[in-house]
Amino acid sequence: MHEAAPQSSWVLLAYLIAGVCFIMALRGLSSPESSRRGNRAGIIGMAIAVGTTLTTHEIATLWEIAIAILIGGGVGLVIARRIQMTAMPQLVAAFHSLVGMAAVLVGAAAYLNPGAFGILGPDGIHQVSRVEMGLGVAIGAITFSGSVIAFLKLNGNMSGKPIILPLRHVINLGTLVAILGLIAYFTQDQAPWVFWTVTALSFAIGFLVIVPIGGADMPVVISMLNSYSGWAAAAMGFTLHNSAMIITGALVGSSGAILSYIMCKAMNRSFISVIAGGFGGDAVAGGGAAAIDRPYKRGSAEDAAFLMSQADQVIIVPGYGMAVAQAQHALREMADLLKKVGVKVKYAIHPVAGRMPGHMNVLLAEANVPYDEVFELEDVNNEFAQTDVAFVIGANDVTNPAAKTDKSSPIYGMPVLDVEKARTVLFVKRSMGGVGYAGVDNELFYRDNTMMLLADAKKMVEEINKALG
Amino acid sequence: MDFIAILSIFVLACFVGYFVVWSVTPALHTPLMSVTNAISSVIVVGALIAAAAAGSAYSKWLGLVAVALASVNIFGGFAVTQRMLAMYKKKERKDA
């Protein structure tokens, strides 16, 4: 059935080996030691896939292809070297958009020149291939436009606040139905207008779905787009009968889906409500203003240094605000100073502490925090009760006890770190005004065992270090 | 390969993905995303076929652009993953 692109058994075997290499790449990530080997397996797999394709097809345009790879590869390497670790979410979103766009372009190329891909039958493109092609292009286009919006929001080019369009559910559902209907019609009539309308509508729906989603939900969105980029690759693999693409697409698709699930659970949000959008706006911010008058205890850097140096164990709870203030290096110095005087130091990470899954771990690793001092929520949460000081820096909502007790709170039910069980809570915050990402006040500030350290996170930690040293 | 054979590969790969990804430690979820990003650029295979084939000039140019975009992702994705993974260190450092 493949006149133009015959696949001999050893070609199929090579693609299978590439697929296995990709599985090894993900498998390696089960621990930091094996992860570097895994990454190399991924690179080898990619080299096998590309090499096999180049040696088994007649290449009329080797120079042009070499130039395209050089330009793209050069840009990629420069970006990878220069990118700041705080900007990883934006980078990943941008990379997703490229996969989406590549899928659209490959789909369009296959539509224009089906013979080259061996999907041309006597009555035009095979009907199954048309469905696969339509789905691949649609998912690719959604991935592209959705990722572009996610990038703009994460990069601050666009407000993180949800932008609510009137009648958006009706418009979105209508567009989705139209896309599926047109793909079905595409099997009967492969006219250009059908193909291009599917593409255009898919670009539109990716845009429409992501625009109303607020900044707080971005960890879910970015995982979801990760998943889509995988499904797009898989759909293209179906179209081109390529097992490497199918295996990879399935791996990436399930990976993104699992990460979305983990992020949703960490925020106690259902996937549907994230997609419906609108969370994280001004609706509940009113509670913060009224609460400013409540009494709270304020401490100095010296107080904090004294309390921590007297402790047996300190658990540091970092949040994204710590990374924004670039306080991670100062924080690691603080931990080193404390360890010198015999204090046990641990870090507690909430799954949504950063802006994407695992983001905080990378930021701490960059600051040379050993990964065996860093613990996930479920592994460390019952230790707060035996801990002298919980040092909360740049985190807010993920420590809010209201999530456990206050049924009316928008974050009720979200798993939180039990910092209030520690003997003393030191809470670093810029000022008493201002609320967390979810827009809710934190009753932790006003508890008897909480001491507020009001200052810029980095300056505060540096002053504590001075007092300690 | 017929459709059923391809579908079998796909379904089994989904299961493999499911189990492999659950075994990934949460500390490495960001590298997981960047590496899945890099490997999903295996779509470059399709782009290469389009760019290499004779017959349609449009198709060739679309393919070339797709090759360039996917290359950004392949090189950038693997490189940034490697950079991140190199940062994860264990305790026993020489004390500063």
Side-chain angles (χ1 to χ4, degrees):
Chain A
M1 69 192 277
H2 293 277
E3 309 84 53
Q7 294 185 323
S8 64
S9 0
W10 76 266
V11 175
L12 296 177
L13 197 63
Y15 284 135
L16 178 64
I17 293 170
V20 171
C21 285
F22 294 148
I23 295 172
M24 304 297 283
L26 300 199
R27 180 75 191 121
L29 291 171
S30 56
S31 88
E33 290 101 84
S34 58
S35 63
R36 289 167 270 252
R37 222 175 321 127
N39 199 42
R40 276 196 292 279
I43 296 172
I44 292 168
M46 188 61 75
I48 292 174
V50 172
T52 308
T53 314
L54 284 179
T55 48
T56 53
H57 286 81
E58 272 190 47
I59 308 287
T61 51
L62 193 58
W63 277 109
E64 281 121 307
I65 289 176
I67 291 169
I69 292 179
L70 278 178
I71 294 174
V75 171
L77 285 177
V78 169
I79 295 174
R81 187 149 320 153
R82 296 224 178 127
I83 192 78
Q84 300 246 323
M85 285 301 138
T86 40
M88 274 310 292
Q90 293 93 300
L91 180 74
V92 167
F95 278 174
H96 287 157
S97 76
L98 296 181
V99 178
M101 196 41 149
V104 173
L105 293 175
V106 172
Y111 175 72
L112 292 171
N113 192 6
F117 295 90
I119 53 174
L120 193 60
D123 323 310
I125 303 170
H126 296 306
Q127 282 195 332
V128 182
S129 302
R130 290 188 211 173
V131 176
E132 294 159 351
M133 189 190 284
L135 283 176
V137 168
I139 303 172
I142 293 171
T143 310
F144 173 77
S145 54
S147 300
V148 168
I149 301 297
F151 171 82
L152 293 175
K153 287 198 175 207
L154 288 163
N155 206 32
N157 305 100
M158 193 174 170
S159 162
K161 281 197 185 129
I163 298 165
I164 309 290
L165 305 167
L167 283 179
R168 64 180 202 281
H169 295 311
V170 179
I171 297 173
N172 291 352
L173 278 179
T175 315
L176 191 65
V177 170
I179 291 171
L180 292 176
L182 280 171
I183 291 175
Y185 179 68
F186 191 49
T187 60
Q188 303 307 313
D189 178 3
Q190 54 163 318
W193 73 267
V194 186
F195 182 82
W196 298 114
T197 312
V198 167
T199 314
L201 285 178
S202 306
F203 277 125
I205 200 172
F207 175 82
L208 290 171
V209 165
I210 307 300
V211 157
I213 300 182
D217 282 337
M218 277 301 141
V220 180
V221 169
I222 193 168
S223 314
M224 183 183 86
L225 291 167
N226 185 233
S227 181
Y228 286 1
S229 69
W231 304 131
M236 279 298 137
F238 273 95
T239 318
L240 309 184
H241 297 232
N242 184 301
S243 52
M245 272 160 85
I246 294 171
I247 295 174
T248 316
L251 291 176
V252 178
S254 17
S255 163
I258 290 173
L259 290 176
S260 314
Y261 168 80
I262 294 174
M263 289 296 107
C264 280
K265 237 182 104 198
M267 296 195 289
N268 192 37
R269 309 261 290 127
S270 79
F271 192 67
I272 299 292
S273 69
V274 170
I275 297 300
F279 185 72
D282 298 320
V284 280
I292 289 173
D293 300 332
R294 285 172 66 181
Y296 62 91
K297 270 197 278 190
R298 186 174 176 172
S300 68
E302 287 74 27
D303 300 335
F306 177 76
L307 275 168
M308 285 193 284
S309 59
Q310 298 301 310
D312 284 329
Q313 172 160 290
V314 173
I315 298 184
I316 299 174
V317 180
Y320 191 69
M322 184 271 306
V324 172
Q326 292 291 327
Q328 55 270 49
H329 292 273
L331 193 65
R332 203 252 313 145
E333 275 171 44
M334 185 184 94
D336 286 346
L337 289 169
L338 286 173
K339 277 188 268 178
K340 250 184 216 161
V341 292
V343 182
K344 247 180 105 185
V345 180
K346 288 182 176 177
Y347 296 80
I349 309 280
H350 191 276
V352 292
R355 285 263 172 105
M356 69 187 286
H359 193 196
M360 189 52 65
N361 302 76
V362 175
L363 295 170
L364 291 177
E366 191 191 18
N368 284 323
V369 173
Y371 63 80
D372 38 10
E373 285 175 13
V374 182
F375 295 88
E376 304 300 319
L377 177 127
E378 60 266 34
D379 300 325
V380 78
N381 223 8
N382 49 18
E383 281 199 33
F384 281 105
Q386 293 95 48
T387 297
D388 304 291
V389 179
F391 187 80
V392 183
I393 176 165
N396 189 349
D397 296 332
V398 299
T399 63
N400 195 337
K404 288 175 282 189
T405 51
D406 179 6
K407 282 200 173 131
S408 66
S409 171
I411 59 169
Y412 179 73
M414 171 172 137
V416 289
L417 290 156
D418 299 331
V419 290
E420 79 279 1
K421 290 194 182 145
R423 198 160 306 141
T424 311
V425 179
L426 297 174
F427 203 108
V428 183
K429 198 170 182 304
R430 188 176 287 276
S431 66
M432 282 309 282
V435 286
Y437 227 24
V440 278
D441 194 26
N442 192 344
E443 68 131 282
L444 186 65
F445 305 156
Y446 315 108
R447 291 175 86 106
D448 287 337
N449 64 338
T450 304
M451 185 187 276
M452 299 300 294
L453 305 170
L454 299 180
D456 171 75
K458 190 178 177 187
K459 271 192 204 123
M460 177 53 73
V461 176
E462 281 168 352
E463 273 171 45
I464 293 175
N465 288 351
K466 244 180 257 164
L468 281 171
Chain B
M1 277 190 289
D2 61 356
F3 181 74
I4 293 300
I6 296 181
L7 189 68
S8 317
I9 295 176
F10 176 71
V11 172
L12 293 177
C14 282
F15 277 95
V16 171
Y18 179 85
F19 289 109
V20 169
V21 171
W22 273 118
S23 76
V24 172
T25 164
L28 293 175
H29 275 163
T30 295
L32 171 68
M33 286 187 99
S34 63
V35 85
T36 50
N37 211 306
I39 64 174
S40 61
S41 308
V42 73
I43 203 157
V44 74
V45 166
L48 288 170
I49 297 172
S56 162
Y58 284 124
S59 174
K60 181 186 112 180
W61 282 108
L62 291 176
L64 281 175
V65 175
V67 169
L69 293 183
S71 302
V72 173
N73 235 328
I74 294 172
F75 286 86
F78 281 122
V80 85
T81 307
Q82 201 160 20
R83 198 180 133 201
M84 279 192 278
L85 294 177
M87 292 172 185
Y88 284 82
K89 292 184 196 90
K90 262 197 165 165
K91 211 172 279 178
E92 42 192 2
R93 301 165 292 124
K94 8 174 188 14
D95 247 355

